[in-house]
Amino acid sequence: MGKARLSQKRTKKHRSSPKKKKGERTHTVSIPDALNGGKVTIGTVTLAEIKKAAKIYSGESGHLPESQKQRQLVRVPSKGQRIRFLKEAADAIAAKEALALPSHGGRPWKCEVKVLDSTDSVSKSVVSKSGGKKKQGPLFRWFRGKLELACLPHILEKVEVMEIDDIKKCNYLSDEGTDEEDCDDLVVSKNALQERAISTLSSLAWNDPDHHIPLVERIWLSPDHVKYSTRKAAMEHAGELVRRDKLIDRVLHGRGAKGSILRPFKPTKAAALEAGYYRFLRDGLWVVGQEEDWQDEREEVWLRRQERIARVKKDRGEAARVKKEATLQKQKAKANMEKGISAVDVGLPHKVITNDTVVTLLDSATCSPTCSKSDTLSAGSVELQAMESDNDSPPDLKSRRLTPSTHWRLTQQQIDLCYDAAVEHYEKVMYTVKARALFTELADGFDLLRERGRGRFDMELPVFDDPKFSFLTDLERASWMPVVRTILGEDVALVHKGVFLSLPGSEMQVYHQDGPHLTTKYQKPCHAVNVFIPLVDLTRKNGPTEFCLGTHILDYEYFAKEMVETPLAKAGTPIIFDYRLGHRGLGNSSADCRPLVYLTYSPSGGKEFKDSVNFSRKRYIKIGELVEKPLSREERARRRREVIV
């Protein structure tokens, strides 16, 4: 009985301490590390230790695992845990890759990263290079209570960052200059990844011949939704996007290198077309005349800045002259003292320019840009005012106002003709509804007029087919066709035309896109554009259209308040946008109606573009022939007088 019990105890003891698998034994590696006696331990971490460390760093009580107390690299035998840690490493690499390339139109680069565990798929060539011995899985290290891929800092170090120091866009419209602190806030997220610094442990894991370096696969996705499989191709495209942004900044916003403001200039039509096209590709919007919108306000800003620069240069020159004069007086006084001659004997003034005066003037020369001349010159600098010459006065800066362009727009006569036709059509349709008691049918919509929200009507005008409106429908006469052909190509077709009428008190539309993407697998070029031509000057109150820039790009269709732009175009100025761009008409709180001509273009022969939702008359009731509105008493009297004459 005693021997049997002893045998059972030995069996239980044997079961409670199983043998470690081959390859999981802890061993040491000698490396030049003075802090740890020249040795680093490579061991195996258990799932229990991983959970225990997570509890400790989350605030619960406990003691750190032994592998964290020592400078130790560990293997993770659990394949599921390895995959989880490699996924976290992939996220860190993806974040660094995305920040390495500049954003475009408010959209960052994206990078899809996969860190593959190659333990189970080792090629024969790799095995032969390691002396016929199969390599083990990647090594990990403890980082802030979590296990992390040990060689991650070396992988992050190889990420090439694209330098764009010459693109500085902070406060470019400010008359007070650029605020450096605001610009520093933009790169805080870049510095966060630098905490994974190269260390002795990471170098050992990177160079260890007995353990794998995980395979890293990357796919770059550009801000305009184009995929690249190599960093070289991605950086070339990023450079092209930066070049486009520079051209847009210069022509459409008046910004030069490092965000410097430019004096207004008259861009050529070719430059306006190129910059406008790049802006359309980036934002999905093109406002005719946008290259001149910044110039009126910028002229005043530029003049104020040039005057300030001239004033500061003048103050610095005065301070330099004062300093030179003080030095000469000191030298003369020293020479006279050596000869034993006093200042009174040689007739020098009793009051000389002192060092305090020079310091005061030097400080005033570097004062705030808004300080005036009277503030710059101190009370003790009387001598400086005496030395001031007429040649030091600021240059005469004259304002030059550029004449606004009129190309690619409607003339005033054409605007009036369209306005009268739109109002007359609306009155005819509404009189027909009243005469035939079609109020119920009005809610469903007619072929010539349908309601797009309260107080907002979409109208088709048969009169637009008349030759006198060929300036709208003729592809050779329409003044904005150079812009449309720049976007869609030479062969284009007019798909639809009409008028949007927003009455006083109309409500704001729901944010929408006129048409979806033709495919969601990749970003296709623009397949249709809308041209909005307001017939009155747009203001904040009469219901302009609000656009959400960049929503024509796949994965960015959602509404973002910070990307909103509301063009306040003058009457007859076309607003051209991608058919997929998100937008909405704002409410009309003014006392006047706001008519707007719209035209939709697509490449000719484009069989893939069919908008049966917006442009199908089958959905609506045919109103038939419109009832003529009876003439007023004054109109009848006028016609009788014409007949008599």
Side-chain angles (χ1 to χ4, degrees), residues 364-641:
S364 64
T366 57
C367 66
S368 62
T370 57
C371 64
S372 62
K373 182 177 179 180
S374 59
D375 298 331
T376 304
L377 301 178
S378 63
S381 59
V382 180
E383 294 83 357
L384 174 63
Q385 297 181 10
M387 291 185 293
E388 188 176 304
S389 62
D390 296 335
N391 296 330
D392 296 329
S393 59
D396 184 16
L397 300 174
K398 296 182 179 180
S399 175
R400 52 179 184 182
R401 299 291 179 182
L402 302 179
T403 305
S405 302
T406 57
H407 53 270
W408 306 334
R409 299 169 174 86
L410 290 179
T411 64
Q412 188 59 48
Q413 183 180 2
Q414 294 169 343
I415 294 171
D416 295 339
L417 188 62
C418 293
Y419 184 94
D420 294 339
V423 174
E424 182 181 358
H425 179 80
Y426 172 76
E427 291 178 347
K428 276 187 176 182
V429 173
M430 298 310 293
Y431 185 80
T432 302
V433 170
K434 183 178 180 180
R436 298 178 183 172
L438 301 175
F439 300 103
T440 305
E441 291 80 357
L442 179 61
D444 297 328
F446 299 106
D447 53 348
L448 300 183
L449 182 144
R450 45 262 187 189
E451 196 169 13
R452 304 286 193 187
R454 182 180 176 184
R456 191 182 302 275
F457 297 94
D458 178 5
M459 305 186 300
E460 293 186 30
L461 279 64
V463 71
F464 277 179
D465 295 326
D466 193 278
K468 66 179 179 180
F469 287 94
S470 60
F471 60 86
L472 291 178
T473 58
D474 192 340
L475 299 181
E476 301 302 325
R477 287 195 59 194
S479 57
W480 48 86
M481 288 311 297
V483 177
V484 175
R485 288 194 170 97
T486 300
I487 299 171
L488 299 177
E490 291 298 324
D491 298 329
V492 296
L494 178 60
V495 177
H496 196 70
K497 58 187 180 296
V499 172
F500 285 127
L501 183 64
S502 177
L503 300 179
S506 63
E507 297 178 347
M508 180 174 60
Q509 275 187 312
V510 177
Y511 172 77
H512 65 282
Q513 294 169 297
D514 288 339
H517 290 272
L518 299 181
T519 179
T520 57
K521 295 181 180 180
Y522 60 95
Q523 180 72 24
K524 296 198 70 172
C526 178
H527 62 274
V529 296
N530 279 332
V531 180
F532 281 6
I533 309 173
L535 302 179
V536 295
D537 293 346
L538 295 180
T539 65
R540 294 287 180 185
K541 292 185 176 182
N542 65 0
T545 304
E546 181 183 79
F547 298 93
C548 191
L549 304 182
T551 50
H552 64 301
I553 302 295
L554 277 172
D555 299 335
Y556 289 95
E557 296 89 349
Y558 52 85
F559 179 83
K561 187 176 181 180
E562 62 273 11
M563 299 300 295
V564 164
E565 180 174 330
T566 308
L568 301 179
K570 298 293 184 181
T573 302
I575 301 172
I576 303 167
F577 61 97
D578 194 301
Y579 204 67
R580 302 162 292 185
L581 188 69
H583 62 282
R584 62 181 176 184
L586 301 181
N588 186 357
S589 59
S590 68
D592 302 315
C593 64
R594 187 231 61 192
L596 180 148
V597 174
Y598 71 90
L599 305 107
T600 302
Y601 296 91
S602 70
S604 59
K607 299 180 181 179
E608 56 184 357
F609 175 66
K610 293 181 180 180
D611 193 345
S612 58
V613 177
N614 292 317
F615 303 144
S616 176
R617 288 192 173 187
K618 297 179 180 179
R619 300 174 52 204
Y620 305 107
I621 302 171
K622 292 184 178 181
I623 195 172
E625 186 176 355
L626 299 179
V627 178
E628 290 291 338
K629 186 178 180 180
L631 299 176
S632 63
R633 181 178 300 177
E634 293 79 7
E635 184 66 21
R636 290 197 300 269
R638 186 184 64 80
R639 290 193 177 187
R640 282 196 298 269
R641 287 194 298 271

Side-chain angles (χ1 to χ4, degrees), residues 253-274:
H253 303 297
R255 294 200 299 264
K258 297 185 179 180
S260 60
I261 65 172
L262 303 178
R263 190 171 190 181
F265 61 93
K266 194 79 170 181
T268 63
K269 287 185 179 180
L273 283 174
E274 185 181 9

Side-chain angles (χ1 to χ4, degrees), residues 156 216 238 572:
L156 294 175
V216 181

Side-chain angles (χ1 to χ4, degrees), residues 16-35:
S16 62
S17 56
K19 291 183 179 180
K20 294 182 179 180
K21 295 181 181 180
K22 186 177 180 180
E24 293 186 3
R25 293 191 301 271
T26 300
H27 64 281
T28 58
V29 180
S30 297
I31 60 171
D33 184 9
L35 295 178

Side-chain angles (χ1 to χ4, degrees), residues 212-437:
H212 280 296
I213 300 297
L215 301 177
V216 181
E217 295 181 354
R218 300 174 176 89
I219 296 293
W220 287 265
L221 186 64
S222 68
D224 51 354
H225 211 277
V226 181
K227 290 186 177 182
Y228 295 94
S229 57
T230 63
R231 180 180 283 109
K232 180 180 179 181
M235 294 193 72
E236 288 178 355
H237 186 65
E240 171 62 19
L241 296 182
V242 168
R243 187 190 70 82
R244 295 179 184 180
D245 283 338
K246 287 182 179 180
L247 182 63
I248 294 171
D249 289 343
R250 178 176 177 80
V251 178
L252 304 187
H253 303 297
R255 294 200 299 264
K258 297 185 179 180
S260 60
I261 65 172
L262 303 178
R263 190 171 190 181
F265 61 93
K266 194 79 170 181
T268 63
K269 287 185 179 180
L273 283 174
E274 185 181 9
Y277 176 64
Y278 288 149
R279 199 254 169 140
F280 182 87
L281 293 179
R282 185 187 72 180
D283 299 337
L285 182 67
W286 188 328
V287 182
V288 170
Q290 59 190 347
E291 64 276 5
E292 300 175 4
D293 291 343
W294 58 274
Q295 300 196 17
D296 290 338
E297 179 183 356
R298 183 61 56 78
E299 178 69 14
E300 299 176 1
V301 174
W302 188 88
L303 288 174
R304 289 198 301 269
R305 177 162 292 188
Q306 293 303 114
E307 291 174 357
R308 186 174 67 247
I309 292 173
R311 186 166 59 248
V312 171
K313 286 183 178 179
K314 176 184 174 182
D315 294 341
R316 289 176 178 173
E318 291 169 347
R321 286 195 297 273
V322 171
K323 187 175 181 180
K324 184 177 180 180
E325 184 70 18
T327 303
L328 291 175
Q329 289 190 15
K330 284 183 179 181
Q331 292 175 355
K332 288 181 180 180
K334 185 177 180 181
N336 292 333
M337 289 179 65
E338 292 176 354
K339 295 179 181 180
I341 304 175
S342 64
V344 178
D345 296 335
V346 296
L348 291 176
H350 295 285
K351 291 184 179 180
V352 297
I353 300 176
T354 63
N355 289 332
D356 295 336
T357 305
V358 176
V359 172
T360 302
L361 291 170
L362 288 174
D363 292 340
S364 64
T366 57
C367 66
S368 62
T370 57
C371 64
S372 62
K373 182 177 179 180
S374 59
D375 298 331
T376 304
L377 301 178
S378 63
S381 59
V382 180
E383 294 83 357
L384 174 63
Q385 297 181 10
M387 291 185 293
E388 188 176 304
S389 62
D390 296 335
N391 296 330
D392 296 329
S393 59
D396 184 16
L397 300 174
K398 296 182 179 180
S399 175
R400 52 179 184 182
R401 299 291 179 182
L402 302 179
T403 305
S405 302
T406 57
H407 53 270
W408 306 334
R409 299 169 174 86
L410 290 179
T411 64
Q412 188 59 48
Q413 183 180 2
Q414 294 169 343
I415 294 171
D416 295 339
L417 188 62
C418 293
Y419 184 94
D420 294 339
V423 174
E424 182 181 358
H425 179 80
Y426 172 76
E427 291 178 347
K428 276 187 176 182
V429 173
M430 298 310 293
Y431 185 80
T432 302
V433 170
K434 183 178 180 180
R436 298 178 183 172

